[in-house]
Amino acid sequence: MTIILGIESTAHTFGIGVVKNGKVLANVRDMYTTETGGIIPNESAKHHARVKDSLYEKALVESRIKESDIDAISFSQGPGLNPCLLEGIKFTKELAKRLNKPVIPVNHCVAHLEIGQITGAKDPVLLYVSGANTQIIAYASGKYRIFGETLDIGVGNFIDTFGRYAGMGFPAGPKIQELAKNGKKYIELPYKVKGMDIALSGILTNLKQKLESKKYSMEDLCYSLQETVFAMLVETAERALAHTGKKELLLGGGVACNSRLQEMCKIMCNERGAKFFCPERPLLVDNAAMIAYLGGIMFKAGIKVSGKEIEKLDIMPRERTDDILVKWK
Ligand code: ATP
Ligand code: FE2
């Protein structure tokens, strides 16, 4: 029996998760939000410092475990925002020292992928669409390879920036989804796909100009934004499925909460006989259960940092998915 406590702090969300032998016992989180304007890293880090102790207590209560039941602590080492990651590693080190437990450093993006196993995916292509990250990832000979990605900004940041221009506050994704439902007219936007990569900043500029021209309704703009950009994502994901020969598509990241994106992915998978997997919302957005889950897999493979070595651990703000040697497969 292995109980792992996971800690997530890469950006706007601070979370604590508890996973016992691959089963999620607790997944508590608190998110830094704003009424208007985007995420300010230092403010988000202050938020994390404010909520961490109460979330920790809440996770213990929810999972009905005692501190002494914990076998190891895993944490998001990167990628992410420096001040936010620093809060997470500080909390991890203090806890590990106090409880005298080993630590497992986890890559946040790989955690989004591995948690897909909970939905039954075995060897999927992951369409990972969050704020900062937009990548198409799949496992091939010892590493998670990035087959395609955004050449400029992440799709969530793209959505949130458009939302900010339109005065929506952060995060804008859910609001845009609602507005898009009432869109009636498709407005032509640039479509930027290069092989398995996409580019979004040109579309953002175009949308901003359309917004400023006041010629279009907000509903039609949101609808057209979703139809265009999601079609680009689905096209590249399909190309990755064809290229790798894999038969499963998994969604990950906050933007994957979008029901229209899910629908478009499902249609594409049906058409090519692939299986579609999408974790439920609490495991899709940034969360600590996925960090504990991957921590558990790595722990089982003997990967951990103990004793004095823990102090030497550092954050990896720019760590890439394909930097990670997957020793647990
Ligand atoms: P990462 O650190 O992995 O880059 P992140 O910190 O941005 O991720 P997530 O929680 O994975 O965090 O994703 C947040 C993003 O998801 C925000 O940009 C938000 O606007 C977007 N989002 C949330 N719900 C929806 C939705 N229904 N439709 C579109 N986008 C959404
Ligand atoms: Fe994420």
PDB file of all heavy atoms in Angstrom, residues 8 10-13 29 31 79 108 112 128-133 156-157 159-160 170-174 177 226 230 253-255 257-259 281 284-286, ligand 1:
ATOM      1  N   GLU A   8       0.520  20.920  -5.979  1.00  0.00           N
ATOM      2  CA  GLU A   8       0.504  21.635  -7.262  1.00  0.00           C
ATOM      3  C   GLU A   8       0.521  23.151  -6.998  1.00  0.00           C
ATOM      4  O   GLU A   8      -0.259  23.641  -6.169  1.00  0.00           O
ATOM      5  CB  GLU A   8      -0.761  21.252  -8.047  1.00  0.00           C
ATOM      6  CG  GLU A   8      -1.136  22.176  -9.195  1.00  0.00           C
ATOM      7  CD  GLU A   8      -0.076  22.290 -10.273  1.00  0.00           C
ATOM      8  OE1 GLU A   8       0.656  21.321 -10.524  1.00  0.00           O
ATOM      9  OE2 GLU A   8       0.023  23.380 -10.865  1.00  0.00           O
ATOM     10  N   THR A  10       1.967  25.433  -9.912  1.00  0.00           N
ATOM     11  CA  THR A  10       2.687  26.015 -11.054  1.00  0.00           C
ATOM     12  C   THR A  10       2.202  27.398 -11.507  1.00  0.00           C
ATOM     13  O   THR A  10       2.990  28.188 -11.992  1.00  0.00           O
ATOM     14  CB  THR A  10       2.640  25.088 -12.292  1.00  0.00           C
ATOM     15  OG1 THR A  10       1.266  24.777 -12.556  1.00  0.00           O
ATOM     16  CG2 THR A  10       3.398  23.809 -12.061  1.00  0.00           C
ATOM     17  N   ALA A  11       0.899  27.668 -11.379  1.00  0.00           N
ATOM     18  CA  ALA A  11       0.405  28.959 -11.870  1.00  0.00           C
ATOM     19  C   ALA A  11      -0.657  29.528 -10.929  1.00  0.00           C
ATOM     20  O   ALA A  11      -0.352  29.922  -9.812  1.00  0.00           O
ATOM     21  CB  ALA A  11      -0.120  28.802 -13.287  1.00  0.00           C
ATOM     22  N   HIS A  12      -1.903  29.512 -11.359  1.00  0.00           N
ATOM     23  CA  HIS A  12      -2.970  30.152 -10.566  1.00  0.00           C
ATOM     24  C   HIS A  12      -3.556  29.255  -9.493  1.00  0.00           C
ATOM     25  O   HIS A  12      -4.283  29.701  -8.632  1.00  0.00           O
ATOM     26  CB  HIS A  12      -4.097  30.596 -11.501  1.00  0.00           C
ATOM     27  CG  HIS A  12      -4.442  29.538 -12.485  1.00  0.00           C
ATOM     28  ND1 HIS A  12      -4.983  28.337 -12.122  1.00  0.00           N
ATOM     29  CD2 HIS A  12      -4.239  29.477 -13.827  1.00  0.00           C
ATOM     30  CE1 HIS A  12      -5.141  27.580 -13.191  1.00  0.00           C
ATOM     31  NE2 HIS A  12      -4.688  28.252 -14.248  1.00  0.00           N
ATOM     32  N   THR A  13      -3.287  27.943  -9.587  1.00  0.00           N
ATOM     33  CA  THR A  13      -3.946  27.009  -8.677  1.00  0.00           C
ATOM     34  C   THR A  13      -2.968  26.460  -7.646  1.00  0.00           C
ATOM     35  O   THR A  13      -1.875  26.021  -8.006  1.00  0.00           O
ATOM     36  CB  THR A  13      -4.563  25.838  -9.473  1.00  0.00           C
ATOM     37  OG1 THR A  13      -5.577  26.375 -10.330  1.00  0.00           O
ATOM     38  CG2 THR A  13      -5.175  24.797  -8.565  1.00  0.00           C
ATOM     39  N   ARG A  29      -8.345  22.151  -4.038  1.00  0.00           N
ATOM     40  CA  ARG A  29      -7.628  23.206  -4.740  1.00  0.00           C
ATOM     41  C   ARG A  29      -8.276  24.555  -4.488  1.00  0.00           C
ATOM     42  O   ARG A  29      -9.443  24.644  -4.132  1.00  0.00           O
ATOM     43  CB  ARG A  29      -7.588  22.913  -6.246  1.00  0.00           C
ATOM     44  CG  ARG A  29      -8.942  22.734  -6.886  1.00  0.00           C
ATOM     45  CD  ARG A  29      -8.821  22.080  -8.258  1.00  0.00           C
ATOM     46  NE  ARG A  29      -8.237  22.928  -9.261  1.00  0.00           N
ATOM     47  CZ  ARG A  29      -8.894  23.838  -9.965  1.00  0.00           C
ATOM     48  NH1 ARG A  29     -10.173  24.041  -9.770  1.00  0.00           N
ATOM     49  NH2 ARG A  29      -8.280  24.562 -10.870  1.00  0.00           N
ATOM     50  N   MET A  31      -8.116  28.529  -6.407  1.00  0.00           N
ATOM     51  CA  MET A  31      -7.578  29.203  -7.589  1.00  0.00           C
ATOM     52  C   MET A  31      -7.562  30.718  -7.403  1.00  0.00           C
ATOM     53  O   MET A  31      -8.534  31.295  -6.927  1.00  0.00           O
ATOM     54  CB  MET A  31      -8.446  28.842  -8.781  1.00  0.00           C
ATOM     55  CG  MET A  31      -7.903  29.314 -10.090  1.00  0.00           C
ATOM     56  SD  MET A  31      -9.000  28.760 -11.416  1.00  0.00           S
ATOM     57  CE  MET A  31      -8.438  29.790 -12.744  1.00  0.00           C
ATOM     58  N   PRO A  79       6.896  22.701 -15.723  1.00  0.00           N
ATOM     59  CA  PRO A  79       7.151  24.131 -15.940  1.00  0.00           C
ATOM     60  C   PRO A  79       6.092  24.987 -15.250  1.00  0.00           C
ATOM     61  O   PRO A  79       5.043  24.488 -14.878  1.00  0.00           O
ATOM     62  CB  PRO A  79       7.028  24.252 -17.460  1.00  0.00           C
ATOM     63  CG  PRO A  79       6.057  23.181 -17.845  1.00  0.00           C
ATOM     64  CD  PRO A  79       6.258  22.055 -16.868  1.00  0.00           C
ATOM     65  N   HIS A 108       4.834  18.718 -14.492  1.00  0.00           N
ATOM     66  CA  HIS A 108       3.410  19.055 -14.531  1.00  0.00           C
ATOM     67  C   HIS A 108       2.720  18.541 -15.803  1.00  0.00           C
ATOM     68  O   HIS A 108       1.616  17.998 -15.754  1.00  0.00           O
ATOM     69  CB  HIS A 108       3.303  20.579 -14.413  1.00  0.00           C
ATOM     70  CG  HIS A 108       1.934  21.127 -14.515  1.00  0.00           C
ATOM     71  ND1 HIS A 108       1.146  21.359 -13.414  1.00  0.00           N
ATOM     72  CD2 HIS A 108       1.196  21.506 -15.580  1.00  0.00           C
ATOM     73  CE1 HIS A 108      -0.009  21.847 -13.801  1.00  0.00           C
ATOM     74  NE2 HIS A 108      -0.007  21.953 -15.124  1.00  0.00           N
ATOM     75  N   HIS A 112      -0.373  15.621 -16.406  1.00  0.00           N
ATOM     76  CA  HIS A 112      -1.630  15.752 -17.160  1.00  0.00           C
ATOM     77  C   HIS A 112      -1.845  14.516 -18.041  1.00  0.00           C
ATOM     78  O   HIS A 112      -2.973  14.097 -18.267  1.00  0.00           O
ATOM     79  CB  HIS A 112      -1.578  16.975 -18.088  1.00  0.00           C
ATOM     80  CG  HIS A 112      -2.021  18.246 -17.444  1.00  0.00           C
ATOM     81  ND1 HIS A 112      -3.313  18.463 -17.030  1.00  0.00           N
ATOM     82  CD2 HIS A 112      -1.348  19.387 -17.151  1.00  0.00           C
ATOM     83  CE1 HIS A 112      -3.417  19.684 -16.519  1.00  0.00           C
ATOM     84  NE2 HIS A 112      -2.232  20.263 -16.580  1.00  0.00           N
ATOM     85  N   TYR A 128      -2.882  18.511 -25.062  1.00  0.00           N
ATOM     86  CA  TYR A 128      -2.744  19.221 -23.785  1.00  0.00           C
ATOM     87  C   TYR A 128      -2.927  20.711 -24.034  1.00  0.00           C
ATOM     88  O   TYR A 128      -2.079  21.361 -24.633  1.00  0.00           O
ATOM     89  CB  TYR A 128      -1.374  18.904 -23.193  1.00  0.00           C
ATOM     90  CG  TYR A 128      -1.012  19.697 -21.966  1.00  0.00           C
ATOM     91  CD1 TYR A 128      -1.971  20.061 -21.032  1.00  0.00           C
ATOM     92  CD2 TYR A 128       0.298  20.072 -21.728  1.00  0.00           C
ATOM     93  CE1 TYR A 128      -1.640  20.784 -19.910  1.00  0.00           C
ATOM     94  CE2 TYR A 128       0.649  20.788 -20.608  1.00  0.00           C
ATOM     95  CZ  TYR A 128      -0.325  21.138 -19.699  1.00  0.00           C
ATOM     96  OH  TYR A 128       0.010  21.860 -18.582  1.00  0.00           O
ATOM     97  N   VAL A 129      -4.084  21.190 -23.622  1.00  0.00           N
ATOM     98  CA  VAL A 129      -4.436  22.578 -23.915  1.00  0.00           C
ATOM     99  C   VAL A 129      -4.757  23.331 -22.629  1.00  0.00           C
ATOM    100  O   VAL A 129      -5.833  23.206 -22.064  1.00  0.00           O
ATOM    101  CB  VAL A 129      -5.635  22.649 -24.900  1.00  0.00           C
ATOM    102  CG1 VAL A 129      -5.169  22.435 -26.325  1.00  0.00           C
ATOM    103  CG2 VAL A 129      -6.720  21.619 -24.569  1.00  0.00           C
ATOM    104  N   SER A 130      -3.780  24.080 -22.145  1.00  0.00           N
ATOM    105  CA  SER A 130      -3.998  24.843 -20.911  1.00  0.00           C
ATOM    106  C   SER A 130      -3.649  26.296 -21.169  1.00  0.00           C
ATOM    107  O   SER A 130      -3.613  26.736 -22.312  1.00  0.00           O
ATOM    108  CB  SER A 130      -3.148  24.253 -19.803  1.00  0.00           C
ATOM    109  OG  SER A 130      -1.792  24.454 -20.115  1.00  0.00           O
ATOM    110  N   GLY A 131      -3.408  27.035 -20.105  1.00  0.00           N
ATOM    111  CA  GLY A 131      -3.086  28.451 -20.261  1.00  0.00           C
ATOM    112  C   GLY A 131      -1.781  28.642 -21.011  1.00  0.00           C
ATOM    113  O   GLY A 131      -1.735  29.171 -22.124  1.00  0.00           O
ATOM    114  N   ALA A 132      -0.715  28.160 -20.397  1.00  0.00           N
ATOM    115  CA  ALA A 132       0.605  28.399 -20.954  1.00  0.00           C
ATOM    116  C   ALA A 132       1.002  27.358 -21.990  1.00  0.00           C
ATOM    117  O   ALA A 132       1.865  27.608 -22.820  1.00  0.00           O
ATOM    118  CB  ALA A 132       1.625  28.417 -19.824  1.00  0.00           C
ATOM    119  N   ASN A 133       0.378  26.196 -21.919  1.00  0.00           N
ATOM    120  CA  ASN A 133       0.841  25.089 -22.760  1.00  0.00           C
ATOM    121  C   ASN A 133      -0.178  24.669 -23.804  1.00  0.00           C
ATOM    122  O   ASN A 133      -1.366  24.574 -23.511  1.00  0.00           O
ATOM    123  CB  ASN A 133       1.161  23.873 -21.888  1.00  0.00           C
ATOM    124  CG  ASN A 133       2.300  24.138 -20.929  1.00  0.00           C
ATOM    125  OD1 ASN A 133       3.441  24.301 -21.328  1.00  0.00           O
ATOM    126  ND2 ASN A 133       1.980  24.233 -19.646  1.00  0.00           N
ATOM    127  N   GLY A 156      -4.943  28.712 -23.970  1.00  0.00           N
ATOM    128  CA  GLY A 156      -5.645  29.327 -22.827  1.00  0.00           C
ATOM    129  C   GLY A 156      -5.270  30.797 -22.677  1.00  0.00           C
ATOM    130  O   GLY A 156      -6.136  31.653 -22.467  1.00  0.00           O
ATOM    131  N   ASN A 157      -3.981  31.087 -22.812  1.00  0.00           N
ATOM    132  CA  ASN A 157      -3.539  32.488 -22.739  1.00  0.00           C
ATOM    133  C   ASN A 157      -4.131  33.307 -23.877  1.00  0.00           C
ATOM    134  O   ASN A 157      -4.493  34.474 -23.703  1.00  0.00           O
ATOM    135  CB  ASN A 157      -2.009  32.592 -22.789  1.00  0.00           C
ATOM    136  CG  ASN A 157      -1.375  32.154 -21.486  1.00  0.00           C
ATOM    137  OD1 ASN A 157      -2.079  31.910 -20.507  1.00  0.00           O
ATOM    138  ND2 ASN A 157      -0.064  32.038 -21.458  1.00  0.00           N
ATOM    139  N   ILE A 159      -7.024  32.716 -25.327  1.00  0.00           N
ATOM    140  CA  ILE A 159      -8.432  32.928 -24.962  1.00  0.00           C
ATOM    141  C   ILE A 159      -8.552  34.008 -23.878  1.00  0.00           C
ATOM    142  O   ILE A 159      -9.387  34.908 -23.957  1.00  0.00           O
ATOM    143  CB  ILE A 159      -9.056  31.589 -24.492  1.00  0.00           C
ATOM    144  CG1 ILE A 159      -9.300  30.679 -25.698  1.00  0.00           C
ATOM    145  CG2 ILE A 159     -10.334  31.793 -23.700  1.00  0.00           C
ATOM    146  CD1 ILE A 159      -9.740  29.261 -25.348  1.00  0.00           C
ATOM    147  N   ASP A 160      -7.681  33.906 -22.867  1.00  0.00           N
ATOM    148  CA  ASP A 160      -7.746  34.870 -21.756  1.00  0.00           C
ATOM    149  C   ASP A 160      -7.351  36.281 -22.204  1.00  0.00           C
ATOM    150  O   ASP A 160      -7.888  37.269 -21.696  1.00  0.00           O
ATOM    151  CB  ASP A 160      -6.839  34.420 -20.602  1.00  0.00           C
ATOM    152  CG  ASP A 160      -7.348  33.132 -19.950  1.00  0.00           C
ATOM    153  OD1 ASP A 160      -8.570  32.912 -19.935  1.00  0.00           O
ATOM    154  OD2 ASP A 160      -6.515  32.349 -19.466  1.00  0.00           O
ATOM    155  N   PHE A 170     -10.368  37.187 -15.592  1.00  0.00           N
ATOM    156  CA  PHE A 170      -9.646  35.914 -15.731  1.00  0.00           C
ATOM    157  C   PHE A 170     -10.271  34.840 -14.850  1.00  0.00           C
ATOM    158  O   PHE A 170     -10.575  35.124 -13.706  1.00  0.00           O
ATOM    159  CB  PHE A 170      -8.170  36.134 -15.335  1.00  0.00           C
ATOM    160  CG  PHE A 170      -7.376  34.884 -15.249  1.00  0.00           C
ATOM    161  CD1 PHE A 170      -6.829  34.319 -16.390  1.00  0.00           C
ATOM    162  CD2 PHE A 170      -7.190  34.237 -14.023  1.00  0.00           C
ATOM    163  CE1 PHE A 170      -6.101  33.146 -16.315  1.00  0.00           C
ATOM    164  CE2 PHE A 170      -6.454  33.060 -13.948  1.00  0.00           C
ATOM    165  CZ  PHE A 170      -5.912  32.521 -15.093  1.00  0.00           C
ATOM    166  N   PRO A 171     -10.484  33.627 -15.304  1.00  0.00           N
ATOM    167  CA  PRO A 171     -10.258  33.126 -16.661  1.00  0.00           C
ATOM    168  C   PRO A 171     -11.447  33.395 -17.568  1.00  0.00           C
ATOM    169  O   PRO A 171     -12.585  33.377 -17.120  1.00  0.00           O
ATOM    170  CB  PRO A 171     -10.076  31.628 -16.438  1.00  0.00           C
ATOM    171  CG  PRO A 171     -10.909  31.310 -15.237  1.00  0.00           C
ATOM    172  CD  PRO A 171     -10.909  32.551 -14.376  1.00  0.00           C
ATOM    173  N   ALA A 172     -11.159  33.608 -18.849  1.00  0.00           N
ATOM    174  CA  ALA A 172     -12.217  33.987 -19.788  1.00  0.00           C
ATOM    175  C   ALA A 172     -12.832  32.787 -20.505  1.00  0.00           C
ATOM    176  O   ALA A 172     -13.915  32.894 -21.072  1.00  0.00           O
ATOM    177  CB  ALA A 172     -11.664  34.964 -20.820  1.00  0.00           C
ATOM    178  N   GLY A 173     -12.146  31.632 -20.468  1.00  0.00           N
ATOM    179  CA  GLY A 173     -12.604  30.462 -21.219  1.00  0.00           C
ATOM    180  C   GLY A 173     -14.072  30.112 -21.024  1.00  0.00           C
ATOM    181  O   GLY A 173     -14.830  30.005 -21.995  1.00  0.00           O
ATOM    182  N   PRO A 174     -14.518  29.935 -19.768  1.00  0.00           N
ATOM    183  CA  PRO A 174     -15.919  29.556 -19.542  1.00  0.00           C
ATOM    184  C   PRO A 174     -16.901  30.619 -20.048  1.00  0.00           C
ATOM    185  O   PRO A 174     -17.968  30.284 -20.562  1.00  0.00           O
ATOM    186  CB  PRO A 174     -16.009  29.422 -18.020  1.00  0.00           C
ATOM    187  CG  PRO A 174     -14.614  29.170 -17.566  1.00  0.00           C
ATOM    188  CD  PRO A 174     -13.734  29.921 -18.523  1.00  0.00           C
ATOM    189  N   GLN A 177     -17.093  30.412 -23.823  1.00  0.00           N
ATOM    190  CA  GLN A 177     -17.883  29.223 -24.191  1.00  0.00           C
ATOM    191  C   GLN A 177     -19.384  29.540 -24.159  1.00  0.00           C
ATOM    192  O   GLN A 177     -20.131  29.163 -25.062  1.00  0.00           O
ATOM    193  CB  GLN A 177     -17.573  28.077 -23.234  1.00  0.00           C
ATOM    194  CG  GLN A 177     -18.456  26.864 -23.454  1.00  0.00           C
ATOM    195  CD  GLN A 177     -18.115  25.691 -22.546  1.00  0.00           C
ATOM    196  OE1 GLN A 177     -16.957  25.377 -22.321  1.00  0.00           O
ATOM    197  NE2 GLN A 177     -19.130  25.035 -22.027  1.00  0.00           N
ATOM    198  N   GLN A 226     -13.824  30.075 -31.316  1.00  0.00           N
ATOM    199  CA  GLN A 226     -13.821  28.655 -30.941  1.00  0.00           C
ATOM    200  C   GLN A 226     -13.785  27.745 -32.170  1.00  0.00           C
ATOM    201  O   GLN A 226     -12.994  26.801 -32.221  1.00  0.00           O
ATOM    202  CB  GLN A 226     -15.071  28.327 -30.106  1.00  0.00           C
ATOM    203  CG  GLN A 226     -15.019  28.868 -28.712  1.00  0.00           C
ATOM    204  CD  GLN A 226     -16.006  28.189 -27.758  1.00  0.00           C
ATOM    205  OE1 GLN A 226     -15.899  28.348 -26.560  1.00  0.00           O
ATOM    206  NE2 GLN A 226     -16.954  27.441 -28.265  1.00  0.00           N
ATOM    207  N   PHE A 230     -10.312  25.702 -32.432  1.00  0.00           N
ATOM    208  CA  PHE A 230     -10.496  24.291 -32.075  1.00  0.00           C
ATOM    209  C   PHE A 230     -10.322  23.394 -33.304  1.00  0.00           C
ATOM    210  O   PHE A 230      -9.812  22.276 -33.192  1.00  0.00           O
ATOM    211  CB  PHE A 230     -11.866  24.066 -31.409  1.00  0.00           C
ATOM    212  CG  PHE A 230     -12.014  24.755 -30.062  1.00  0.00           C
ATOM    213  CD1 PHE A 230     -13.253  24.853 -29.445  1.00  0.00           C
ATOM    214  CD2 PHE A 230     -10.909  25.291 -29.422  1.00  0.00           C
ATOM    215  CE1 PHE A 230     -13.388  25.484 -28.209  1.00  0.00           C
ATOM    216  CE2 PHE A 230     -11.034  25.934 -28.188  1.00  0.00           C
ATOM    217  CZ  PHE A 230     -12.273  26.033 -27.581  1.00  0.00           C
ATOM    218  N   GLY A 253      -5.654  19.585 -19.561  1.00  0.00           N
ATOM    219  CA  GLY A 253      -5.525  21.040 -19.452  1.00  0.00           C
ATOM    220  C   GLY A 253      -6.883  21.721 -19.373  1.00  0.00           C
ATOM    221  O   GLY A 253      -7.904  21.169 -19.812  1.00  0.00           O
ATOM    222  N   GLY A 254      -6.878  22.934 -18.827  1.00  0.00           N
ATOM    223  CA  GLY A 254      -8.127  23.643 -18.549  1.00  0.00           C
ATOM    224  C   GLY A 254      -9.010  23.903 -19.760  1.00  0.00           C
ATOM    225  O   GLY A 254     -10.239  23.849 -19.660  1.00  0.00           O
ATOM    226  N   VAL A 255      -8.404  24.167 -20.918  1.00  0.00           N
ATOM    227  CA  VAL A 255      -9.207  24.471 -22.104  1.00  0.00           C
ATOM    228  C   VAL A 255     -10.005  23.240 -22.545  1.00  0.00           C
ATOM    229  O   VAL A 255     -11.052  23.357 -23.185  1.00  0.00           O
ATOM    230  CB  VAL A 255      -8.312  25.005 -23.243  1.00  0.00           C
ATOM    231  CG1 VAL A 255      -9.129  25.354 -24.479  1.00  0.00           C
ATOM    232  CG2 VAL A 255      -7.538  26.239 -22.778  1.00  0.00           C
ATOM    233  N   CYS A 257     -11.834  21.596 -20.809  1.00  0.00           N
ATOM    234  CA  CYS A 257     -13.168  21.632 -20.182  1.00  0.00           C
ATOM    235  C   CYS A 257     -14.211  22.100 -21.185  1.00  0.00           C
ATOM    236  O   CYS A 257     -15.409  21.947 -20.957  1.00  0.00           O
ATOM    237  CB  CYS A 257     -13.192  22.604 -19.005  1.00  0.00           C
ATOM    238  SG  CYS A 257     -12.125  22.124 -17.665  1.00  0.00           S
ATOM    239  N   ASN A 258     -13.795  22.707 -22.261  1.00  0.00           N
ATOM    240  CA  ASN A 258     -14.731  23.292 -23.214  1.00  0.00           C
ATOM    241  C   ASN A 258     -15.547  22.213 -23.943  1.00  0.00           C
ATOM    242  O   ASN A 258     -14.983  21.321 -24.581  1.00  0.00           O
ATOM    243  CB  ASN A 258     -13.951  24.134 -24.241  1.00  0.00           C
ATOM    244  CG  ASN A 258     -14.877  24.946 -25.107  1.00  0.00           C
ATOM    245  OD1 ASN A 258     -15.543  24.414 -25.978  1.00  0.00           O
ATOM    246  ND2 ASN A 258     -14.933  26.242 -24.842  1.00  0.00           N
ATOM    247  N   SER A 259     -16.860  22.321 -23.838  1.00  0.00           N
ATOM    248  CA  SER A 259     -17.715  21.259 -24.372  1.00  0.00           C
ATOM    249  C   SER A 259     -17.669  21.194 -25.900  1.00  0.00           C
ATOM    250  O   SER A 259     -17.778  20.129 -26.487  1.00  0.00           O
ATOM    251  CB  SER A 259     -19.153  21.433 -23.890  1.00  0.00           C
ATOM    252  OG  SER A 259     -19.572  22.747 -24.141  1.00  0.00           O
ATOM    253  N   ARG A 281     -13.629  17.168 -14.949  1.00  0.00           N
ATOM    254  CA  ARG A 281     -13.079  18.501 -14.755  1.00  0.00           C
ATOM    255  C   ARG A 281     -12.019  18.630 -13.629  1.00  0.00           C
ATOM    256  O   ARG A 281     -10.965  19.227 -13.847  1.00  0.00           O
ATOM    257  CB  ARG A 281     -14.233  19.500 -14.523  1.00  0.00           C
ATOM    258  CG  ARG A 281     -13.769  20.926 -14.607  1.00  0.00           C
ATOM    259  CD  ARG A 281     -14.870  21.932 -14.342  1.00  0.00           C
ATOM    260  NE  ARG A 281     -14.244  23.217 -14.085  1.00  0.00           N
ATOM    261  CZ  ARG A 281     -13.976  24.102 -15.019  1.00  0.00           C
ATOM    262  NH1 ARG A 281     -14.340  23.893 -16.252  1.00  0.00           N
ATOM    263  NH2 ARG A 281     -13.347  25.216 -14.708  1.00  0.00           N
ATOM    264  N   LEU A 284      -8.819  17.574 -14.928  1.00  0.00           N
ATOM    265  CA  LEU A 284      -8.463  18.164 -16.213  1.00  0.00           C
ATOM    266  C   LEU A 284      -7.721  19.484 -16.017  1.00  0.00           C
ATOM    267  O   LEU A 284      -6.699  19.752 -16.632  1.00  0.00           O
ATOM    268  CB  LEU A 284      -9.770  18.427 -16.969  1.00  0.00           C
ATOM    269  CG  LEU A 284      -9.823  18.388 -18.478  1.00  0.00           C
ATOM    270  CD1 LEU A 284      -9.154  17.166 -19.034  1.00  0.00           C
ATOM    271  CD2 LEU A 284     -11.285  18.409 -18.916  1.00  0.00           C
ATOM    272  N   VAL A 285      -8.249  20.313 -15.150  1.00  0.00           N
ATOM    273  CA  VAL A 285      -7.605  21.588 -14.840  1.00  0.00           C
ATOM    274  C   VAL A 285      -6.373  21.320 -13.976  1.00  0.00           C
ATOM    275  O   VAL A 285      -6.129  20.177 -13.576  1.00  0.00           O
ATOM    276  CB  VAL A 285      -8.577  22.534 -14.079  1.00  0.00           C
ATOM    277  CG1 VAL A 285      -9.732  22.933 -14.982  1.00  0.00           C
ATOM    278  CG2 VAL A 285      -9.086  21.887 -12.801  1.00  0.00           C
ATOM    279  N   ASP A 286      -5.603  22.338 -13.673  1.00  0.00           N
ATOM    280  CA  ASP A 286      -4.452  22.149 -12.801  1.00  0.00           C
ATOM    281  C   ASP A 286      -4.940  21.600 -11.467  1.00  0.00           C
ATOM    282  O   ASP A 286      -5.843  22.179 -10.845  1.00  0.00           O
ATOM    283  CB  ASP A 286      -3.720  23.482 -12.587  1.00  0.00           C
ATOM    284  CG  ASP A 286      -2.838  23.809 -13.779  1.00  0.00           C
ATOM    285  OD1 ASP A 286      -2.751  22.983 -14.695  1.00  0.00           O
ATOM    286  OD2 ASP A 286      -2.230  24.890 -13.776  1.00  0.00           O
TER     287      ASP A 286
HETATM  288  P1  ATP B   1      -0.566  25.142 -17.293  1.00  0.00           P
HETATM  289  O1  ATP B   1       0.206  25.582 -16.093  1.00  0.00           O
HETATM  290  O2  ATP B   1      -0.590  23.672 -17.453  1.00  0.00           O
HETATM  291  O3  ATP B   1      -0.220  25.863 -18.533  1.00  0.00           O
HETATM  292  P2  ATP B   1      -2.804  26.627 -16.516  1.00  0.00           P
HETATM  293  O4  ATP B   1      -2.068  27.102 -15.349  1.00  0.00           O
HETATM  294  O5  ATP B   1      -3.144  27.635 -17.504  1.00  0.00           O
HETATM  295  O6  ATP B   1      -2.073  25.416 -17.036  1.00  0.00           O
HETATM  296  P3  ATP B   1      -5.340  25.122 -16.447  1.00  0.00           P
HETATM  297  O7  ATP B   1      -6.207  25.065 -15.250  1.00  0.00           O
HETATM  298  O8  ATP B   1      -4.910  23.839 -17.030  1.00  0.00           O
HETATM  299  O9  ATP B   1      -4.160  26.011 -15.985  1.00  0.00           O
HETATM  300  O10 ATP B   1      -6.075  25.959 -17.594  1.00  0.00           O
HETATM  301  C1  ATP B   1      -6.576  27.235 -17.405  1.00  0.00           C
HETATM  302  C2  ATP B   1      -7.064  27.763 -18.728  1.00  0.00           C
HETATM  303  O11 ATP B   1      -8.226  27.033 -19.129  1.00  0.00           O
HETATM  304  C3  ATP B   1      -7.452  29.223 -18.713  1.00  0.00           C
HETATM  305  O12 ATP B   1      -6.809  29.838 -19.789  1.00  0.00           O
HETATM  306  C4  ATP B   1      -8.966  29.204 -18.900  1.00  0.00           C
HETATM  307  O13 ATP B   1      -9.467  30.316 -19.607  1.00  0.00           O
HETATM  308  C5  ATP B   1      -9.148  27.929 -19.691  1.00  0.00           C
HETATM  309  N1  ATP B   1     -10.495  27.365 -19.583  1.00  0.00           N
HETATM  310  C6  ATP B   1     -11.155  26.929 -18.487  1.00  0.00           C
HETATM  311  N2  ATP B   1     -12.408  26.532 -18.797  1.00  0.00           N
HETATM  312  C7  ATP B   1     -12.552  26.717 -20.141  1.00  0.00           C
HETATM  313  C8  ATP B   1     -13.607  26.501 -21.067  1.00  0.00           C
HETATM  314  N3  ATP B   1     -14.782  26.024 -20.702  1.00  0.00           N
HETATM  315  N4  ATP B   1     -13.376  26.821 -22.354  1.00  0.00           N
HETATM  316  C9  ATP B   1     -12.191  27.306 -22.773  1.00  0.00           C
HETATM  317  N5  ATP B   1     -11.164  27.520 -21.938  1.00  0.00           N
HETATM  318  C10 ATP B   1     -11.332  27.246 -20.647  1.00  0.00           C
END
